[in-house]
Amino acid sequence: MFNLFIYVLAQTARKVGIDFHEEKDPRVQKMRKTIAQLGGIQFSIEMDADGNWVAESTNIPGIITGGINPKETARTIKDAIFTYFSIPPHLCD
């Protein structure tokens, strides 16, 4: 919950013009380089009839996530990617 608070606070700060310069952070640079080398991150997503879902990367072992609300799939997958690459929430844009 704390990470979500930091993420929302950082997004609000961006809207008023604060720049966190995430593109200069070595962790972000490494993540972007890895993703570019792979040509993107691919996922297999399985959904149950009741709306539960699970997403697992097919080209980076260890990225797996899921939820109960299909509307949050994209946000939750992005969070799993940032977590995998150890990107702090204020740099997640």
Side-chain angles (χ1 to χ4, degrees):
M1 193 56 116
F2 180 72
N3 282 347
L4 179 59
F5 173 75
I6 297 298
Y7 172 78
V8 170
L9 187 61
Q11 293 302 322
T12 302
R14 281 185 179 87
K15 289 179 183 177
V16 297
I18 295 174
D19 188 352
F20 293 98
H21 305 285
E22 59 272 355
E23 69 280 351
K24 294 179 183 177
D25 187 281
R27 296 165 292 191
V28 174
Q29 291 173 346
K30 181 180 177 184
M31 177 187 72
R32 288 180 175 173
K33 182 179 178 182
T34 300
I35 293 171
Q37 288 172 338
L38 292 171
I41 301 175
Q42 308 303 315
F43 281 89
S44 170
I45 302 173
E46 296 182 18
M47 291 208 168
D48 292 339
D50 61 358
N52 292 329
W53 59 273
V54 174
E56 183 173 6
S57 173
T58 58
N59 61 342
I60 298 181
I63 301 180
I64 186 166
T65 190
I68 58 173
N69 185 349
K71 293 178 182 179
E72 295 182 4
T73 304
R75 184 188 62 78
T76 306
I77 289 174
K78 287 178 186 178
D79 180 60
I81 293 168
F82 289 131
T83 300
Y84 178 86
F85 286 100
S86 300
I87 307 299
H90 71 282
L91 297 178
C92 298
D93 188 21

